[in-house]
Amino acid sequence: MRTLQADLKVRLYVLIAVFLLAPGLSGQNAPAFEVASIKRSPDAPFSFPGLMLQPGGRATTPGTNVRQLVLVAYGLQDLQLLGGPSWMASDLYTIDARAGAGATRASVRLMLKALLAERFQLAAHTEQRELPAFSLVLANRDGKLGPRLRRSGPECAPIQTPPGIPPPPPPPPGPGPDFTPVQAQDPLGPTCGYISFPGWISGRRLTMGHFITALTQLTRRPVVDETGLTGEFDLDVTFMPDQPVTLNGAPAPPALAQSDRPSLLPALQEDLGLKLEARRRTVDVLVIDRIERPSGN
């Protein structure tokens, strides 16, 4: 009797596996856009790092490169995406899609995955790679913070811009004030603003989670928070950029060159009382196996 039951269980598992792996069945219930228009847009006025989800379920972008779309669909940092042709990062596309009422950031990401597979013929696989990384730790044994890292107050303090550099302009007009940005990571804040120029960072009401995201982008290495600091902080740090700084192709003003400043790692310790320690960490990465430019609509 037990042998018969065991045999029936094995057959049931085999049937389930065949059903799940059968072509056309595994993705049968995967969410997809109701309709989507994709157009090459070399003259897009700016590059938006994701999609804009409007009330009613319309998902659009005025111009986004395909590499960014893959990062959004899979929720990755740039360093976690490997392979693919160079046009993925250079070609801009406008997208106008219908996600349906009730669409959320999570469901739009799944729909974007399906769109990339269908229209761009994206095929990829995940691997684990050991990569150079950093741990963000307190630099002082007594836990003392640097002079430019302080607990946020009840009111938003003004962002500091480099001398002679005007504050950044407001974001370009979107489809309306109520759109929800669908980006690689859901926005956790900050609620009081953040700017980053080469060699200059100023942020208000940042958590350490916000800051390590910025450091990951800046260092192009995974950064793990091991400071033990909780809550929100105001911070300012200036440093000598690794490469010559230009603005719109012209040499940057002296205020941005920061020739009298140390490089990033010692500047973090001097300004913030924080330190980046080199590590190696195993990181999940997505490897592009195949991707093609989409055919015209």
Side-chain angles (χ1 to χ4, degrees):
M1 184 67 177
R2 289 182 179 177
T3 302
L4 178 59
Q5 289 178 340
D7 183 60
L8 288 174
K9 284 184 178 181
V10 170
R11 293 186 183 185
L12 178 61
Y13 293 153
V14 170
L15 286 173
I16 292 173
V18 170
F19 176 80
L20 291 175
L21 296 176
L25 293 176
S26 60
Q28 189 173 15
N29 296 320
F33 292 117
E34 298 170 2
V35 62
S37 169
I38 304 173
K39 295 180 180 180
R40 179 87 181 274
S41 184
D43 298 324
F46 61 93
S47 179
F48 183 78
L51 298 176
M52 301 173 181
L53 178 60
Q54 302 178 45
R58 184 183 177 194
T60 66
T61 178
T64 301
N65 67 55
V66 180
R67 183 176 180 86
Q68 187 63 55
L69 292 175
V70 176
L71 296 177
V72 172
Y74 288 85
L76 303 174
Q77 295 276 3
D78 186 73
L79 57 85
Q80 293 177 277
L81 181 57
L82 305 179
S86 60
W87 64 260
M88 284 182 61
S90 59
D91 292 3
L92 295 181
Y93 291 88
T94 58
I95 294 177
D96 191 344
R98 302 288 178 178
T104 63
R105 285 191 178 101
S107 64
V108 169
R109 287 196 185 101
L110 293 176
M111 295 176 194
L112 184 55
K113 277 187 183 181
L115 183 74
L116 289 166
E118 178 184 354
R119 303 290 291 276
F120 291 86
Q121 302 301 304
L122 172 65
H125 68 278
T126 57
E127 294 181 4
Q128 286 193 326
R129 299 277 182 95
E130 189 179 68
L131 300 178
F134 286 115
S135 291
L136 183 67
V137 301
L138 296 176
N140 302 311
R141 291 184 178 181
D142 60 3
K144 183 180 179 180
L145 303 180
R148 307 183 75 187
L149 177 64
R150 51 212 172 272
R151 293 279 179 183
S152 300
E155 302 294 333
C156 291
I159 292 290
Q160 292 186 7
T161 57
I165 303 296
D178 297 325
F179 78 87
T180 300
V182 183
Q183 299 174 305
Q185 283 80 38
D186 287 341
L188 303 174
T191 57
C192 285
Y194 170 85
I195 63 168
S196 176
F197 291 99
W200 187 285
I201 295 174
S202 181
R204 302 294 178 261
R205 286 192 179 168
L206 298 177
T207 66
M208 287 298 109
H210 299 145
F211 191 45
I212 65 168
T213 297
L215 290 175
T216 295
Q217 296 171 349
L218 191 61
T219 63
R220 296 191 60 79
R221 290 190 184 186
V223 180
V224 178
D225 175 27
E226 295 182 357
T227 63
L229 297 175
T230 59
E232 296 176 327
F233 294 84
D234 296 349
L235 63 84
D236 300 280
V237 58
T238 56
F239 55 95
M240 169 64 89
D242 293 335
Q243 299 178 348
V245 180
T246 61
L247 290 179
N248 300 322
L256 274 184
Q258 299 296 328
S259 59
D260 60 339
R261 296 292 297 151
S263 59
L264 175 63
L265 270 62
L268 289 174
Q269 186 164 344
E270 180 179 318
D271 288 345
L272 308 182
L274 303 178
K275 183 166 61 173
L276 286 174
E277 294 184 341
R279 299 280 192 272
R280 293 192 68 84
R281 294 189 180 275
T282 300
V283 178
D284 291 327
V285 298
L286 184 74
V287 183
I288 303 294
D289 297 317
R290 184 183 74 250
I291 192 167
E292 300 175 6
R293 286 186 171 97
S295 57
N297 291 311

